[in-house]
Amino acid sequence: MQFSHELIVPEPGFPFKLFIFEGRNGDYRRDKHWHRSAEIFAVCSGELEFYIDNRLWHLTEGEFLIVNSNEVHSVDSPLPNETIVLQIPLEMFEDYFTGEQFIWFTHEPGKRDERFMELMRELYQIYEEKACGYDMKMMSIFYDILYYLVRDYRLTETGQDSVRKNKTLDRLSRITSYMKENYRNNLSLENVAGEFGYSPTYLSRMFQKYAGITFKDHVQNIRLEHAAKDIENGGYSITEAAIRNGFSGSKALARAFRKKYGMLPSEYRAEIERKNGKR
């Protein structure tokens, strides 16, 4: 199983990211991934399913789930839903770390779940309306949410295995962020290992054990995602999309594209044009 690291970018002017879950129309799955930010999914209507450490969590209307920093998870959204997602950088909790730059929240329901859901709904409503002074009101609600998180949902005792895994995924997050910023350059195992002071063998094992993927395949997946966006947007030829995203040429892109997506780049472009109603 391959896991991927997701880079969280906060809203401009705010120390968090707030949005409606992209699987709102149903028939959607987000494969296993992790990120350094804590993440809250608040289901306002419909339902969602989460897998965290091979345990299933089924959320229905009025329920929420806290996904911890560096906690590998996947999301299934088979049916339409409306889910508010709040992503909070780990640094917001630094005064409440239990040790070793670590904080952990429970997934179990708490005594203030209803109030917590009210705050999540109110936060997004004010964000949508953007009335005069909305930014100050949003920060007020956001700090209320932080207050309940550290008071009612924070675990003060965690196992050493969790701490050790968190630290490793945190280091891996920094590495994968670097790779995403430099994917067009020469990202050899030796170069990246040297950049972070690891031996190539150690870094290779880290990817295999904690990300479930080889270093080489992870680099290729990053490049494929960007190439697919270039092909979808239509601003570049297949060859241009290949070269500008780190592939040696259109044939190399075609091989990787077919392996990952089950079709050629030209077939993918034709499918996008068909959906957009182009002839």
Side-chain angles (χ1 to χ4, degrees):
M1 178 62 70
Q2 299 179 0
F3 306 157
S4 65
H5 169 241
E6 179 179 311
L7 181 63
I8 305 301
V9 180
E11 297 286 334
F14 294 101
F16 55 82
K17 185 175 182 179
L18 181 70
F19 57 96
I20 293 295
F21 179 54
E22 61 267 26
R24 65 186 307 171
N25 295 322
D27 192 25
Y28 176 90
R29 175 179 174 80
R30 179 70 167 92
D31 290 333
K32 287 187 175 182
H33 63 287
W34 83 95
H35 36 70
R36 294 194 71 244
S37 297
E39 187 172 41
I40 302 168
F41 288 82
V43 180
C44 298
S45 65
E47 57 188 67
L48 287 180
E49 287 188 344
F50 289 79
Y51 283 92
I52 302 176
D53 288 335
N54 297 318
R55 178 176 175 180
L56 173 64
W57 298 85
H58 184 86
L59 300 187
T60 57
E61 182 176 340
E63 297 179 331
F64 70 91
L65 183 72
I66 305 167
V67 179
N68 288 293
S69 168
N70 292 329
E71 192 166 43
V72 177
H73 59 287
S74 64
V75 191
D76 280 337
S77 174
L79 301 174
N81 66 90
E82 184 174 74
T83 302
I84 299 169
V85 183
L86 177 63
Q87 296 171 329
I88 308 172
L90 190 63
E91 291 74 18
M92 295 300 300
F93 302 104
E94 61 184 1
D95 291 336
Y96 297 89
F97 287 155
T98 54
E100 300 189 58
Q101 303 297 299
F102 184 79
I103 190 169
W104 205 254
F105 300 101
T106 180
H107 304 304
E108 301 293 345
K111 60 185 178 181
R112 294 187 177 273
D113 282 359
E114 291 185 7
R115 177 56 181 152
F116 202 98
M117 280 297 300
E118 290 175 3
L119 289 170
M120 291 290 292
R121 291 191 186 99
E122 187 178 2
L123 182 68
Y124 191 78
Q125 180 181 349
I126 291 174
Y127 173 70
E128 282 283 276
E129 294 175 351
K130 289 184 171 57
C132 179
Y134 83 98
D135 52 341
M136 291 184 285
K137 182 62 176 176
M138 283 184 67
M139 288 303 299
S140 172
I141 298 170
F142 174 64
Y143 275 102
D144 270 346
I145 290 173
L146 295 183
Y147 166 70
Y148 287 124
L149 282 173
V150 299
R151 196 185 80 165
D152 294 330
Y153 299 98
R154 181 175 64 119
L155 296 176
T156 56
E157 295 183 5
T158 53
Q160 285 302 308
D161 287 344
S162 296
V163 174
R164 191 179 304 110
K165 183 177 180 181
N166 180 278
K167 290 178 67 177
T168 302
L169 283 172
D170 190 57
R171 292 196 296 269
L172 201 55
S173 295
R174 299 179 191 278
I175 295 169
T176 54
S177 294
Y178 172 84
M179 293 166 68
K180 288 181 179 181
E181 292 172 359
N182 296 276
Y183 68 94
R184 292 176 176 171
N185 301 327
N186 179 20
L187 283 181
S188 69
L189 178 63
E190 291 74 17
N191 287 346
V192 176
E195 182 73 22
F196 289 88
Y198 297 125
S199 71
T201 300
Y202 180 83
L203 183 59
S204 176
R205 289 175 179 170
M206 185 188 297
F207 266 90
Q208 289 276 20
K209 182 176 181 178
Y210 291 98
I213 188 174
T214 67
F215 174 89
K216 181 179 179 180
D217 284 347
H218 187 68
V219 173
Q220 183 162 278
N221 284 345
I222 294 172
R223 289 170 172 166
L224 275 172
E225 289 177 5
H226 286 277
K229 289 179 182 177
D230 282 348
I231 293 168
E232 184 175 341
N233 293 335
Y236 299 94
S237 68
I238 303 298
T239 300
E240 288 171 335
I243 299 299
R244 67 183 253 101
N245 289 296
F247 291 93
S248 59
S250 58
K251 290 184 178 180
L253 174 60
R255 286 193 300 269
F257 209 93
R258 171 173 274 177
K259 182 178 178 181
K260 183 174 178 63
Y261 299 113
M263 64 177 74
L264 293 171
S266 57
E267 295 171 329
Y268 179 68
R269 172 164 285 174
E271 179 69 12
I272 294 298
E273 292 177 348
R274 184 189 65 78
K275 289 181 178 180
N276 291 337
K278 294 180 180 180
R279 296 292 184 267

